[in-house]
Amino acid sequence: MFQPSGQSLRFVVAIKLSHASISTPRVSSAPPLDTLCRKVRQYGMLDLNSLRMFERVASLKSFTAAARALGVPKSNVSRAIARLEDELGTRLFQRTTRDVVLTLTGQALLERSPDVIANLSETMDYVRGLAGKPRGLLKISAGVGFGVNVLAEQLPEFLLLYPDIEIALDLDSRSADLVADAVDVAVRMGPLPDSGMVAVKIGEIRRYLCAAPAYLERRGRPSSIEDIAQHDTIDMPGPNGRARPWTFSRGTETARVETRPRISVNEALTIHRLVANGAGLGLLSGYICAPQIAAGQLVDVFPDWSPSAVGVNLVFPSRRELSPVVRAFVDYMKEVSRPGNLWMKDTLTL
């Protein structure tokens, strides 16, 4: 464990693994897994410093990045991994000049020790919080669109406020498994499943049904909400892979349209580009499309009707709720997500 004072304390943990806790895959790789089980039982304990370094290398896929995140020389990380591999009698990483990839036994160790690593991270964060400003690595998961348009704008100021925090930003159109992927906090859009995670809502994004002038010249402008179903539409698939209905409101009225997208794509930035290039109708976030609507590059097809807004939540495992690093990020995002700021700024509502 590494403390703010720089002192190195040695912690050990007994990891009880057996053939029952590590299921052997139906491939020819059973011997390495058997070796891992046998060696862990033989030694009975592993150095938590080495385990912590192992997790960071696996998460960041880099010895250099792991050393920087932990605040130690790269040579310390290399020696710790070598010591861990020697104790277990097996390779945990395949190293090339460009990549660091987990072996099958390395993946097994990572998957079977999340509670140990998580508890260590929580303890370290708590102690660091008592010592002063939050410090350490913060792993954030978000969609590509929110990462490019929002986090890339807001994180620089956050890093200035907290110079001892480092960030691993994982952008993907698919939601990460927060526990399995060791994610500290994730940005989630829309309704949240009942997952047992802690969620903090930081705002809503208003959307507009948009089309490019060229598309409307070619296909004509729909005269009613119901006419949308006769047009080319672009949308993200729902959780079950099927098309999602579009819901609109106008005062006390509501309307629901079952669409059959001509283009189905799992990334919001691509939807925006497709709509702007005349591929069809799409629901776009106000902070992105408002300037183009004002400039005549996009058309708000039904200005009297409002598509349902999308809630934006910060989600994190309950065990990370008291982490000073996570708490600092959540408080910062709540502060900068006030109406009128960046993604909460919608000039069409002014």
Side-chain angles (χ1 to χ4, degrees):
M1 177 179 289
F2 300 99
Q3 296 182 321
S5 63
Q7 291 180 319
S8 177
L9 299 178
R10 181 177 176 84
F11 285 78
V12 293
V13 60
I15 299 182
K16 297 179 181 179
L17 296 177
S18 65
H19 290 284
S21 64
I22 295 184
S23 301
T24 303
R26 296 178 181 177
V27 293
S28 59
S29 55
L33 288 178
D34 289 343
T35 299
L36 176 62
C37 297
R38 185 172 61 256
K39 288 294 182 180
V40 171
R41 287 198 301 271
Q42 174 184 346
Y43 286 95
M45 56 183 61
L46 296 177
D47 183 348
L48 268 185
N49 280 340
S50 299
L51 192 61
R52 173 70 168 173
M53 293 183 185
F54 162 75
E55 185 275 334
R56 279 293 178 256
V57 174
S59 175
L60 299 176
K61 298 180 175 60
S62 167
F63 280 71
T64 301
R68 186 167 55 248
L70 293 168
V72 298
K74 180 182 175 182
S75 58
N76 286 21
V77 176
S78 297
R79 284 196 297 269
I81 298 302
R83 184 166 57 248
L84 190 58
E85 290 179 328
D86 183 62
E87 289 177 351
L88 296 176
T90 184
R91 293 290 294 272
L92 299 174
F93 295 100
Q94 292 292 348
R95 304 164 179 83
T96 69
T97 55
R98 299 179 58 184
D99 298 310
V100 176
V101 182
L102 281 168
T103 63
L104 182 63
T105 47
Q107 185 65 41
L109 178 60
L110 182 66
E111 291 176 353
R112 269 66 179 186
S113 58
D115 290 339
V116 173
I117 296 171
N119 290 336
L120 177 60
S121 298
E122 183 179 355
T123 301
M124 290 175 67
D125 285 345
Y126 180 74
V127 173
R128 285 167 175 163
L130 294 177
K133 283 192 172 183
R135 59 178 297 171
L137 179 68
L138 176 66
K139 187 171 182 181
I140 304 171
S141 171
V144 177
F146 197 88
V148 171
N149 291 308
V150 179
L151 294 180
E153 299 288 337
Q154 294 177 329
L155 287 180
E157 181 182 352
F158 176 76
L159 293 175
L160 288 175
L161 291 173
Y162 299 98
D164 294 325
I165 291 180
E166 294 193 355
I167 291 175
L169 184 57
D170 181 16
L171 302 182
D172 200 314
S173 55
R174 293 178 175 83
S175 297
D177 185 324
L178 273 62
V179 175
D181 296 335
V183 173
D184 294 306
V185 60
V187 181
R188 293 283 185 265
M189 319 288 283
L192 297 175
D194 184 10
S195 61
M197 299 289 174
V198 178
V200 177
K201 187 173 183 179
I202 59 175
E204 288 186 339
I205 297 177
R206 184 172 179 179
R207 299 184 296 169
Y208 298 86
L209 180 64
C210 295
Y215 173 83
L216 297 179
E217 290 175 8
R218 185 174 72 252
R219 294 291 307 275
R221 185 168 181 161
S223 59
S224 67
I225 292 291
E226 291 74 17
D227 288 345
I228 294 173
Q230 308 305 317
H231 279 257
D232 296 338
T233 57
I234 309 166
D235 197 12
M236 298 183 72
N240 57 4
R242 299 178 180 177
R244 298 179 293 186
W246 289 357
T247 304
F248 299 83
S249 61
R250 182 176 64 183
T252 59
E253 297 180 80
T254 59
R256 177 187 172 98
V257 180
E258 298 289 343
T259 64
R260 183 180 179 182
R262 180 111 187 249
I263 302 178
S264 180
V265 58
N266 64 349
E267 204 281 299
L269 278 179
T270 306
I271 293 178
H272 172 248
R273 296 294 297 170
L274 287 167
V275 172
N277 288 327
L281 306 178
L283 299 175
L284 303 181
S285 299
Y287 73 97
I288 296 177
C289 68
Q292 290 179 290
I293 292 174
Q297 298 169 336
L298 286 173
V299 176
D300 181 5
V301 178
F302 291 108
D304 293 338
W305 288 90
S306 298
S308 55
V310 175
V312 180
N313 296 271
L314 300 180
V315 181
F316 44 94
S318 58
R319 59 177 172 75
R320 302 297 288 159
E321 187 170 8
L322 297 179
S323 162
V325 175
V326 171
R327 189 166 62 245
F329 178 71
V330 171
D331 289 344
Y332 173 78
M333 289 299 295
K334 289 167 64 176
E335 176 65 21
V336 298
S337 298
R338 292 170 297 173
N341 283 4
L342 197 57
W343 66 276
M344 293 287 285
K345 184 176 182 180
D346 182 351
T347 57
L348 298 178
T349 62
L350 299 179

